Amino acid sequence: MTDHDFLHVLKLIIVCVMWYISSAGGNVIGKLVLNEFPYPMTMSMVQLLSAALYLGPILSLLGVPKTGEISRRYFLTMIIPLAFGKFVSSVSSHISIWKVSVSYAHTVKATLPLFTVILMRLCFKEKQTFPVYLSLVPIIGGVCIATVTEIAFDVVGLCSALFATLGFSLQTIFSKKTLKDTGLHHMNLLLILSRYSTVCFLPFWLMFDVTRIVQDRAVLEHDNKLFAVGLILLDGVFNMLQNLFAFTVLAMVNPLSYAVANATKRVVIIGASLALLHNPVTAMNVVGMLIAVFGVLLYNWAKYYQRLAAERERVLPYIHSDSDLTNFVHKHETLVHSVTEMNLQKNGFVHDNFLFENVNNNYHTPKRNQVNKLEKGPNSDAPD
């Protein structure tokens, strides 16, 4: 292993650890706050506001380019609905964490691939391979086992978690379409959605939550009001950081490796919630959670190889013979449009940042985008 490879692996480990800490910490803090402060819409507003305020300066510091254009019509028909979906999904997610345990809520959220397959079929007529459909079986089975054996089961919590998962699935599908249509960088899209979600739904928050909070004597007379406010603000920072680290990991590895890291993150969140919050669970409950997470991993594996097979079918017909390929290689010792790290650095596409070390060459080099279709594909799962 070269020094460069070792440094890359070290960076990846550090970013993954920070991703897991921010994700687990945000969920645990969110549960603690909601137990004493049952206002999930306020928690969502703080998270959106944190991303809207902090993410812009961070992206500028990291040198993330501002690219892409959004027409007024596209803004009204796509960006605003996505902002609405982001807000509603976030509120639903907080309701689920409020009503049920964090471990069970995240087990239910493992049904994201099921919603994605159904919605892609309904919206874009996209069919999946048999292994993809088969991978949904352990997801459904694991969630069913966890539901039946959940000690603190709540119907509202289950429905909220399912609705939040449906919303996140719709966001994933149409966010990818927006990135393709506009050429926006994915982190800039996250920033735009956070800002417009905050602005558009500030009146609703003032109307529904603030008017109740100012009349809630239990909240106003709480002994640790400042500590609770500090936890709410910290939850917002953790949520912003977990999005930042998630996209950073996605930029550093291929989709299959990201799927493994994401499944590991869900296990860490479930384990941290069980260890720190001490919510009662049975052995079968834990088995159901692990089966569901394992199903998600199988789904991502099946989707990855489905994309590889589709890409081979698209590319192979253009290779007529081995002799033609051999002559081409001998005739051109170096490809004129090869995208090497040296070329990218020479043309200003690679910035020597600790984070986003290869974001720009993934998203802003046309030739590189053609190569990345094989690696990332249009349907690689985004961070949730």
Side-chain angles (χ1 to χ4, degrees), residues 239-252:
N239 179 262
M240 183 273 300
L241 289 176
Q242 78 96 9
N243 279 282
L244 180 67
F245 290 129
F247 280 113
T248 303
V249 173
L250 184 58
M252 296 177 70

Side-chain angles (χ1 to χ4, degrees), residues 112 171-173 175-176 246-247 250 258 262 379-384:
L112 180 67
Q171 277 187 273
T172 299
I173 292 170
S175 291
K176 290 170 183 174
F247 280 113
L250 184 58
Y258 175 80
N262 198 30
N379 298 317
S380 57
D381 290 335
D384 59 331

Side-chain angles (χ1 to χ4, degrees), residues 58-110:
I58 291 176
L59 297 186
S60 297
L61 181 65
L62 295 174
V64 176
K66 297 180 179 180
T67 59
E69 296 182 359
I70 305 176
S71 65
R72 181 181 180 84
R73 180 180 179 183
Y74 197 88
F75 184 87
L76 294 174
T77 58
M78 188 64 75
I79 300 299
I80 294 299
L82 279 173
F84 173 79
K86 184 174 181 63
F87 177 79
V88 173
S89 299
S90 179
V91 174
S92 299
S93 180
H94 280 106
I95 292 175
S96 69
I97 293 177
W98 171 35
K99 291 294 185 178
V100 297
S101 64
V102 173
S103 56
Y104 178 64
H106 274 271
T107 303
V108 175
K109 289 179 183 178

Side-chain angles (χ1 to χ4, degrees), residues 63 118 124 135 161 163 190 244 252 255 286 313 371:
I118 294 174
F124 301 103
S135 68
F163 187 78
L190 175 63
L244 180 67
M252 296 177 70
V286 175
E313 290 181 3
V371 176

